[in-house]
Amino acid sequence: MREDAGKGQYAVRVRALAKRYARVLALDGVDLDIARGEAFGLIGANGAGKTTLIRCLLDLVACDAGRIELFGVSARAPQARARLASLPERFMPPHYLRGAEFLRAMCELGGERYSEQRSRELLAELELGADALVRPARELSKGSTQKLGLASCFLVQRELYLLDEPMSGLDPAARVAVKSVLRRLAAEGRTLFFTSHVLADVEELCSSIAVLDRARVRFRGTPAALGARYGEANLERAFMKCIRDEQPAVSA
């Protein structure tokens, strides 16, 4: 790869990324390119390294080897994160803050002006009652708390959204609402990078995926290409065959 080849076209570039926690190898030579405007899903079993990869992208943990670029800027540089918003897997807002107070704080941290009208519109889009704005976070259900976290992420206008298990704790109706918002963001040209164990959601939303297993990328391509490789119309069955496959990794 030439150092400057295609820099402008990618939101995320990962090269030879490695991360170890004591004796546990979490990431082993991971390479990954995600184009601007791509709806990308990272899938893998528990412990595959998905959250570690996201933490490395956010510079929350230092990688042991390799490099990451966000929009052509090293992920180690603070300015690299100016164009993204993220939601962690285990999201928990300060329990004493009311919903509006939390959203206002997140907007201010993101350098944007808080708009109560826009907050109400987004909460309605996520099917979260406007009463969440005046209730302390400790009074919200798990699903409502998750939607508040998603609202705090989407209120900040960014080019890239990094979402670790965004459907966590959501009932079927809430998942439909969140997927509708994600489709809107994708249609606006935003780049989506999210992890999920619900492969039906990944298949529905993502133009491309990667399978991460045992610290390595086992497949990179479209959901349809993964199914075709393993002769399966069902993405879950194709995924299971992929992580049990001892053949070299494939990009399609």
Side-chain angles (χ1 to χ4, degrees), residues 218-250:
R218 305 297 303 169
F219 174 86
R220 177 73 172 99
T222 66
L226 179 63
R229 172 170 170 76
Y230 293 101
E232 293 287 356
N234 179 276
L235 185 61
E236 289 183 346
R237 288 196 291 268
F239 166 74
M240 292 306 299
K241 286 186 176 180
C242 179
I243 63 175
R244 292 169 178 166
D245 190 354
E246 297 302 326
Q247 297 300 312
V250 171

Side-chain angles (χ1 to χ4, degrees), residues 17-242:
L17 191 67
K19 177 62 183 176
R20 181 182 293 274
Y21 297 103
R23 296 183 179 180
V24 177
L25 185 60
L27 298 171
D28 183 14
V30 169
D31 291 329
L32 191 63
D33 287 335
I34 301 170
R36 296 184 187 215
E38 192 170 343
F40 170 78
L42 181 65
I43 60 178
N46 290 331
K50 304 184 300 299
T51 296
T52 294
L53 177 55
I54 287 180
R55 288 175 177 168
C56 288
L57 291 174
L58 295 171
D59 199 34
L60 295 176
V61 297
C63 57
D64 297 324
R67 60 181 298 184
I68 301 171
E69 291 179 354
L70 303 175
F71 299 100
V73 178
S74 169
R76 299 305 308 274
Q79 62 266 32
R81 292 176 291 286
R83 297 162 76 172
L84 68 83
S86 67
L87 186 72
E89 178 183 9
R90 295 180 179 87
F91 166 73
M92 183 58 66
H95 66 88
Y96 52 86
L97 287 183
R98 299 180 189 277
E101 293 172 332
F102 174 71
L103 294 179
R104 183 186 299 276
M106 292 300 99
C107 284
E108 290 177 354
L109 286 171
E112 297 200 10
R113 185 175 180 179
Y114 174 73
S115 166
E116 183 170 342
Q117 178 180 348
R118 188 159 168 268
S119 295
R120 289 179 178 274
E121 291 171 353
L122 182 56
L123 292 190
E125 201 175 2
L126 292 169
E127 296 194 0
L128 178 59
D131 65 319
L133 292 173
V134 297
R135 295 172 61 190
R138 62 176 172 269
E139 294 182 1
L140 299 179
S141 68
K142 178 175 173 56
S144 293
T145 299
Q146 182 71 5
K147 286 189 276 189
L148 181 66
L150 288 164
S152 72
C153 191
F154 299 149
L155 273 176
V156 181
Q157 300 283 326
R158 291 293 187 265
E159 295 178 59
L160 169 63
Y161 292 96
L162 280 172
L163 310 170
D164 198 356
E165 295 289 345
M167 306 295 182
S168 176
L170 300 182
D171 62 28
R175 280 174 48 208
V176 169
V178 171
K179 286 189 285 187
S180 177
V181 175
L182 292 174
R183 282 194 210 91
R184 172 176 62 77
L185 293 171
E188 292 173 358
R190 318 283 182 179
T191 305
L192 304 179
F193 181 129
F194 70 92
T195 70
S196 181
H197 290 299
V198 184
L199 299 194
D201 292 341
V202 172
E203 189 168 22
E204 185 177 346
L205 292 168
C206 295
S207 55
S208 71
I209 62 173
V211 177
L212 191 64
D213 183 58
R214 289 165 287 178
R216 294 185 176 184
V217 174
R218 305 297 303 169
F219 174 86
R220 177 73 172 99
T222 66
L226 179 63
R229 172 170 170 76
Y230 293 101
E232 293 287 356
N234 179 276
L235 185 61
E236 289 183 346
R237 288 196 291 268
F239 166 74
M240 292 306 299
K241 286 186 176 180
C242 179

